[in-house]
Amino acid sequence: MEKNQNNPLGTEPIGTLLTRFAVPSIIAMLVSSLYNIVDQFFIGRSVGMLGNAATNVAFPLSITCTALSLLCGIGGAANFNLSMGKNQKEKAVKFAGGAIGMMLTLGILLCILAQIFLNPMMLAFGATDQVLEYALTYTGITSLGFPFLIVTTGGSNLIRADGSPKFSMICTLTGAVINTILDPLFIFGLDMGIAGAAWATIIGQVVSGIMVLTYLSRFKTVHIPLKTLIPSKAAWFPIISLGVAPFCNQLAMMIVQIVMNNTLTYYGGQSSYGSDIPLACAGIISKVGMIFFAIVIGISQGIQPIISFNYGAGKYDRVKAAYKKAVTAAIGISVVAFLLFQLAPRQIIGIFGSGSEEYFLFAEKFFRIYMFFTFINGIQPITANTFTSIGKAGKGVFLSLTRQIIFLLPLLLILPVFMGIEGVMFAAPVADGIAAVLCIFFIIREFKHMGSERKEV
């Protein structure tokens, strides 16, 4: 118990811990999103609008990688920290090893599936005749790096759980810097076009993945034997249980992205904009939105070790303090993003290449309406991850699904029937508002329950 009481997660000021864990996590998530942003920038400059549309069609598979990463990484890290908070070191070792084994297995499996079913996937994800060739080239290459991408993103959570948030940031940063340097070299210098962007991405991911695996082979707080990487119900089931909430949130994003792509293509074809303009604009907006969400998700991942450890140790006041500070920070960031999206949409779109006046008018309108409730979007992921961090996976899963599946997906199907392509734009702010209110209701109830638990103890 002495080690438990002296662990900095249970003793240091919450603000200090949040800065130490959340800032590297935010930087790591931002850098991770740069893979897509940098590709989008250079592809837009070389290939143009159809290249931007192709990366949008490929985006659901990138989201799938993130979903699997969080399933293994968050689930493994939460179980690891909860076990360490309870001084159950042997269980913690099994969870860390099990998470690593899951990442490697699922990464290889997804790579194989993507290679086999690439063409039907791209068509299902909304590729038009003009976009399909670019999408096949880009995704056919980038899918080879899926195992390394999943290990990097998921393993970073374990590295943070082990008390090394800065190193997790360095791993992701290294790959992104390599990608940024190689993108213009391959695309313009070697005249490889969209294929060059894909190869630059893979090389960066491989380097980051190797760095993460090297660290995981020599954990600081525990030793992880190779035998713990073998699939085990005792480890995998609890990992899946606590990782399923962020997994479902990302999976929901993928489903919504696919439905939105097809809806934009269908209703865009019935409008004056055509099918390709909405598809290209949505791709850029999704990638730009990733920058904002990367910060929020980084904050939610940063508080995970703090909340898990202190909840396991019965220090509920520290759990509440960590949540409140995280939400306050997320709302502050969200307000800044909201102002940028409302005041400078044309300037943001212009970064990713040129287009017709009609293209920019549609993009401005889409940006302002679709991202209108950005200033409250930080509440949902942090609240859902808080429930996951305290071991209440059911509530975490439900809250993860509220915005994307329960509200946004039906609205994407219903509103365009009455409003045409503008229905896609208005679906998001309606879903955002309802999801935020629901999360506030759930967390208030949970905090009251924590208070009664503390008094009973």
Side-chain angles (χ1 to χ4, degrees), residues 65 69 129 144 148 165 175 211 218 243 254 258 260 264 309 345 348 356 365 371 381 409 432 439:
C65 286
S69 302
D129 291 339
L144 297 174
F148 296 96
M211 291 177 66
R218 49 178 179 80
M254 182 195 72
I258 294 170
M260 187 168 71
L264 287 170
F309 183 90
I348 295 172
S356 64
K365 189 174 184 179
M371 305 296 281
L409 189 58
D432 292 341
C439 284

Side-chain angles (χ1 to χ4, degrees), residues 30-59 61-62 134-135 137-146 149 175-188 192-205 280 283-284 286-288 290-291 349 351-353 359:
L30 281 171
V31 168
S32 181
S33 70
L34 280 178
Y35 278 108
N36 292 298
I37 294 292
V38 169
D39 282 357
Q40 190 91 48
F41 174 80
F42 287 112
I43 289 170
R45 295 284 174 176
S46 61
V47 181
M49 185 182 73
L50 294 179
N52 284 329
T55 60
N56 185 33
V57 171
F59 195 43
L61 280 175
S62 296
Y134 294 109
T137 299
Y138 182 76
T139 314
I141 297 170
T142 55
S143 60
L144 297 174
F146 286 171
L149 176 58
V177 170
I178 291 172
N179 180 41
T180 304
I181 293 172
L182 294 182
D183 254 339
L185 175 63
F186 287 177
I187 294 173
F188 302 110
M192 295 173 67
I194 198 168
W199 282 114
T201 297
I202 282 187
I203 294 171
Q205 290 170 350
I284 294 173
S286 295
K287 304 297 173 27
V288 172
M290 276 183 63
I291 297 177
I349 293 292
I351 294 173
F352 300 95
Y359 167 76

Side-chain angles (χ1 to χ4, degrees), residues 440-450:
I440 293 170
F441 172 75
F442 267 75
I443 199 65
I444 289 174
R445 285 188 62 188
E446 186 61 34
F447 280 174
K448 287 181 180 178
H449 180 62
M450 278 188 200

Side-chain angles (χ1 to χ4, degrees), residues 216-370:
L216 295 177
S217 67
R218 49 178 179 80
F219 243 48
K220 288 195 314 182
T221 53
V222 296
H223 171 65
I224 305 175
L226 286 176
K227 64 180 181 180
T228 60
L229 273 63
I230 299 172
S232 164
K233 288 183 179 179
W236 282 41
F237 281 12
I239 290 172
I240 291 172
S241 175
L242 294 190
V244 72
F247 169 79
C248 287
N249 189 40
Q250 292 295 317
L251 197 65
M253 286 176 63
M254 182 195 72
I255 295 170
V256 166
Q257 188 73 36
I258 294 170
V259 171
M260 187 168 71
N261 285 351
N262 284 281
T263 304
L264 287 170
T265 300
Y266 178 77
Y267 287 99
Q270 298 179 5
S271 71
S272 60
Y273 301 109
S275 298
D276 292 325
I277 285 178
L279 196 61
C281 291
I284 294 173
I285 290 170
S286 295
K287 304 297 173 27
V288 172
M290 276 183 63
I291 297 177
F292 155 67
F293 279 111
I295 299 174
V296 173
I297 293 173
I299 294 172
S300 71
Q301 290 183 359
I303 63 169
Q304 179 272 310
I306 305 169
I307 287 179
S308 292
F309 183 90
N310 284 286
Y311 190 83
K315 298 181 178 181
Y316 302 127
D317 287 341
R318 291 176 62 81
V319 172
K320 295 177 184 179
Y323 173 84
K324 291 174 183 177
K325 286 183 180 295
V327 166
T328 301
I331 290 175
I333 295 295
S334 301
V335 170
V336 174
F338 166 78
L339 293 174
L340 285 173
F341 296 159
Q342 294 300 313
L343 299 177
R346 179 177 284 253
Q347 290 82 348
I348 295 172
I349 293 292
I351 294 173
F352 300 95
S354 59
S356 64
E357 181 62 20
E358 195 172 33
Y359 167 76
F360 280 104
L361 288 174
F362 179 84
E364 287 183 59
K365 189 174 184 179
F366 199 155
F367 230 131
R368 288 193 171 111
I369 297 175
Y370 194 82

Side-chain angles (χ1 to χ4, degrees), residues 100-164:
I100 298 169
M102 287 178 69
M103 285 183 275
L104 293 170
T105 302
L106 294 175
I108 294 170
L109 182 61
L110 181 62
C111 173
I112 294 172
L113 290 174
Q115 289 293 320
I116 294 173
F117 301 106
L118 185 61
N119 195 79
M121 277 184 177
M122 296 299 95
L123 291 172
F125 294 168
T128 63
D129 291 339
Q130 295 186 76
V131 172
L132 182 60
E133 182 182 350
Y134 294 109
L136 289 173
T137 299
Y138 182 76
T139 314
I141 297 170
T142 55
S143 60
L144 297 174
F146 286 171
F148 296 96
L149 176 58
I150 290 173
V151 165
T152 299
T153 307
S156 293
N157 290 282
L158 292 175
I159 294 173
R160 282 191 294 272
D162 191 47
S164 300

